[in-house]
Amino acid sequence: MAVFSAFFRWLRRNLIVFAGLITLGYLLLPNAVVTVFSFNKPKGRFNYSWQEFSTDAWKDPCGVADMCGSLSLSLQIAFWATLGATVLGTMIAFALVRYRFRARGAVNSLIFLPMAMPEVVMAASLLTLFLNMGAQLGFWTVLIAHIMFCLSFVVTAVKARVMSMDPRLEQAAQDLYAGPVQTFLRVTLPIAAPGIAAGALLAFALSFDDFIITNFNAGSTVTFPMFVWGSAQRGTPVQINVIGTAMFLIAVLLVVAGMLVEKRRAKKSL
């Protein structure tokens, strides 16, 4: 009885940890399935049932026509959308936190609309705007649309970081005769960098992964999510699983690298 009592006490103390691990495992289960089926060699067009182990898809990830072209296009759009949304979002976040101006409350509320609004509504609204302007649907309309819906996420991430900054650090830099540019580059920007990086990574992931807004505003442009959706209608090549696994592993490596860098900085500061 004493052993069971001790076990249940230990289980109660670590219940939250177990719940977190189970939830994390459930969330990562689809990634595990995609990884496993990237080594499958299906006999038909659909890669839905396990047949036999093979590394053919990993040896030739661009073996499917137009897949790597759509992947390259998605990466380009995600890069430029991340750059535009990060620059604009950082400036908006600093303006909302540091300055008082008319309609500041309204701007704060409007920033959250793209996050709260269903994507199909925003996609249809952007499509209506582009058609009324006479714009030709394609790369540029997709890029503008991605910047528009990524902007809110960047503003939210950077704003949270800027609000937690201690203004006395910037005042101390000014007391030491640092100019506005020096203060921003040497004090403000390094402190705000984690929030900016978080917003940029989130914007890149959202832009690369988006289908609904892209489908409305792409015209004849085919991004990787649209290619995957089209492929699912006539067959799912194994190379799609290869690209998905590679993107997942790259994201994990970036997170681990960031954690190691942060840990090294913390050790140096002690």
Side-chain angles (χ1 to χ4, degrees):
M1 292 296 293
V3 175
F4 283 107
S5 179
F7 172 76
F8 282 115
R9 283 199 302 270
W10 177 83
L11 185 62
R12 267 201 312 270
R13 286 197 303 269
N14 297 277
L15 187 59
I16 295 178
V17 176
F18 279 115
L21 290 175
I22 292 171
T23 304
L24 184 61
Y26 177 77
L27 291 173
L28 294 178
L29 185 60
N31 299 93
V33 173
V34 169
T35 302
V36 169
F37 276 84
S38 68
F39 294 98
N40 187 29
K41 188 175 183 180
K43 293 181 180 179
R45 294 182 302 165
F46 296 95
N47 186 26
Y48 294 154
S49 59
W50 180 263
Q51 299 296 329
E52 62 178 291
F53 180 85
S54 174
T55 58
D56 293 344
W58 283 93
K59 293 176 183 177
D60 188 18
C62 293
V64 180
D66 299 327
M67 191 182 74
C68 281
S70 64
L71 175 63
S72 174
L73 182 63
S74 283
L75 290 173
Q76 291 178 49
I77 292 174
F79 173 79
W80 291 113
T82 299
L83 184 62
T86 302
V87 173
L88 292 174
T90 300
M91 291 191 292
I92 293 172
F94 272 95
L96 290 174
V97 174
R98 296 292 180 85
Y99 299 97
R100 299 291 182 269
F101 52 89
R102 286 184 179 179
R104 179 171 171 268
V107 173
N108 261 320
S109 301
L110 288 172
I111 286 296
F112 287 97
L113 275 181
M115 293 189 292
M117 186 187 304
E119 278 195 49
V120 67
V121 176
M122 188 173 184
S125 301
L126 287 169
L127 176 61
T128 304
L129 173 65
F130 291 138
L131 292 178
N132 287 334
M133 293 174 60
Q136 184 177 359
L137 299 181
F139 177 88
W140 293 106
T141 54
V142 173
L143 178 60
I144 293 170
H146 281 210
I147 292 174
M148 292 295 292
F149 82 85
C150 288
L151 191 62
S152 298
F153 295 91
V154 176
V155 172
T156 303
V158 178
K159 185 181 171 184
R161 182 66 178 178
V162 175
M163 290 177 68
S164 66
M165 290 171 56
D166 189 351
R168 291 175 297 183
L169 296 174
E170 295 170 298
Q171 294 170 4
Q174 294 168 2
D175 290 340
L176 294 171
Y177 303 103
V181 177
Q182 280 184 312
T183 301
F184 179 78
L185 293 178
R186 293 178 179 270
V187 179
T188 309
L189 189 58
I191 297 174
I196 297 173
L201 290 173
L202 184 59
F204 185 89
L206 289 169
S207 176
F208 181 83
D209 183 60
D210 182 75
F211 172 77
I212 297 176
I213 293 177
T214 305
N215 192 39
F216 270 74
N217 299 281
S220 60
T221 303
V222 179
T223 61
F224 185 67
M226 294 176 66
F227 177 86
V228 173
W229 179 80
S231 298
Q233 312 304 311
R234 55 185 184 274
T236 51
V238 185
Q239 283 82 354
I240 289 177
N241 297 64
V242 172
I243 298 299
T245 302
M247 295 299 294
F248 173 71
L249 292 177
I250 291 171
V252 171
L253 289 175
L254 287 174
V255 172
V256 172
M259 292 174 62
L260 292 175
V261 170
E262 191 66 27
K263 187 178 291 186
R264 182 172 296 180
R265 285 181 178 176
K267 287 183 179 179
K268 286 183 179 180
S269 63
L270 293 177

